[in-house]
Amino acid sequence: MNIKRWAALIAAIVLLIISIGVNTLMVIVKTNLFSGFDSFVELESQLTETVVEPGSFNERIALLTVDGVIQDVGSSTPWSAVGYDHQMFLASLEQILEDDTVKGVVLSVDSPGGGVIESAEIHKKLVQIKEEKGIPIYVSMGSMAASGGYYISAPADKIFAHRETITGSIGVIMQSYNYSELADKLGIEFETIKSGEHKDMFNGTRPATDEEKAMLQEMINESYEEFVDVVEQGRGMSEADVKKIADGRILSGSQAMRAGLVDELGSLEEAIQSLREDYGLEDAELFEYDRDFGTFTSLFMSKLGTIFGPSAEERMLTKLMSSYDSPRLMYLYGQN
């Protein structure tokens, strides 16, 4: 073998080694350093305030927004945003509790509802704000404020809705698929080893028994009564009056006003103006919260996320593999 061939062979080997090294480094960065940086981002991120309407800093109105399904699916990062950020919203409510300059809250709701627990967490914080701070809370409903969306609206001092707003849907739902007959037609058999008779109840591989349906119905009924109590207390209505419309039906904004679930028909701007006039806050600053990841994180690390972060395909696979759609109690309208 002549010198040129030896040189070419050596060059090929060097390139192979470099390629292996680079790929190994990329894997290490993605699996270790990059995942570790998510924790760093979470530590560095904090709530910031954006002024919507300038005014007195000593008397301020906080504008909060719930847009989307009320469910805790994780927090936003510089390279992956979530629709509704439950933990950020709870942090905003906690911040209001600690800020003596906040004299009123306007909550903008555009949601079909969501998880029973998440809805209850928001409701509890809103009631705490009213009781401990003694400040008014006004709600402005968007295109939809149904089920859990109404649950979190109920404690408000005044609720505004559009005529076309879809609201109501007071009730609880739990759903699952029963694909056992389809599996039989396809020749699929489920082999289940369980510790108790009901361990695989409502998982879709077999029909639920009457006894199991009764168990689940009892859970549903308990959460339903809790929902009714929330509306009773928030709207000053009797149990009988609430239950006249608490059969899961949806209502338009005008129907909800006639039923006592809504106070006025109007826009978000009208809700804000009403709060100002009703409580002498005409000169108050209007602001909203946002999550700040810091200048370094937002600018530089978003680029790093583009280079070393998971691809769109990897993110989709991760989401599919990590999602666990087991039946759960929901204050939710429109779930299929």
Side-chain angles (χ1 to χ4, degrees), residues 61-323:
I61 300 171
L63 175 60
L64 306 178
T65 301
V66 172
D67 188 357
V69 178
I70 304 170
Q71 201 164 354
D72 192 354
V73 294
S75 297
S76 300
T77 68
W79 47 84
S80 65
V82 298
Y84 164 72
D85 191 330
H86 186 63
Q87 292 306 316
M88 175 185 164
F89 190 79
L90 292 180
S92 301
L93 296 177
E94 192 64 39
Q95 185 65 31
I96 290 172
L97 280 168
E98 299 172 359
D99 190 341
D100 291 335
T101 68
V102 178
K103 304 301 182 182
V105 175
V106 175
L107 174 60
S108 174
V109 180
D110 197 343
S111 171
V116 166
I117 292 176
E118 292 92 336
S119 300
E121 287 177 330
I122 294 174
H123 177 271
K124 181 179 179 181
K125 281 293 181 184
L126 291 173
V127 171
Q128 184 181 359
I129 288 171
K130 288 185 62 176
E131 292 178 348
E132 294 186 8
K133 294 184 67 71
I135 61 176
I137 298 176
Y138 278 27
V139 163
S140 173
M141 294 179 170
S143 61
M144 180 178 291
S147 204
Y150 190 81
Y151 188 102
I152 66 173
S153 302
D157 296 278
K158 188 178 286 188
I159 299 176
F160 284 73
H162 299 275
R163 292 184 184 278
E164 299 79 12
T165 295
I166 294 176
T167 187
S169 187
I170 298 172
V172 193
I173 190 169
M174 175 185 282
Q175 289 182 318
S176 178
Y177 295 102
N178 177 12
Y179 43 81
S180 57
E181 290 188 12
L182 175 62
D184 288 340
K185 291 179 180 179
L186 297 176
I188 299 173
E189 294 184 7
F190 298 101
E191 296 182 351
T192 304
I193 301 173
K194 53 187 179 179
S195 59
E197 178 184 356
H198 304 294
K199 184 60 179 173
D200 60 343
M201 62 185 288
F202 221 50
N203 72 350
T205 61
R206 63 173 178 82
T209 66
D210 291 340
E211 182 183 8
E212 290 168 342
K213 290 178 181 178
M215 294 177 187
L216 296 174
Q217 188 63 56
E218 184 177 355
M219 295 169 56
I220 292 287
N221 292 344
E222 288 179 0
S223 293
Y224 169 75
E225 292 298 333
E226 174 65 25
F227 201 156
V228 171
D229 289 343
V230 162
V231 179
E232 284 182 57
Q233 296 163 10
R235 300 300 299 169
M237 298 171 66
S238 68
E239 180 179 353
D241 286 339
V242 174
K243 287 191 173 180
K244 287 179 182 178
I245 50 173
D247 54 6
R249 74 181 68 180
I250 58 172
L251 302 167
S252 68
S254 54
Q255 289 175 323
M257 189 170 71
R258 291 195 294 270
L261 299 181
V262 168
D263 296 295
E264 294 188 25
L265 298 178
S267 63
L268 173 60
E269 291 73 19
E270 289 172 308
I272 294 171
Q273 186 60 31
S274 178
L275 176 63
R276 289 186 182 279
E277 294 174 355
D278 293 346
Y279 291 88
L281 296 172
E282 288 87 350
D283 298 326
E285 175 186 274
L286 179 69
F287 75 97
E288 56 188 358
Y289 293 106
D290 199 358
R291 187 185 288 279
D292 180 20
F293 297 101
T295 304
F296 172 74
T297 302
S298 298
L299 297 179
F300 179 72
M301 296 313 293
S302 60
K303 285 297 183 183
L304 184 64
T306 302
I307 298 171
F308 293 107
S311 64
E313 292 81 4
E314 289 173 318
R315 287 195 297 269
M316 179 60 71
L317 286 173
T318 300
K319 181 178 180 180
L320 290 173
M321 293 175 67
S322 61
S323 63

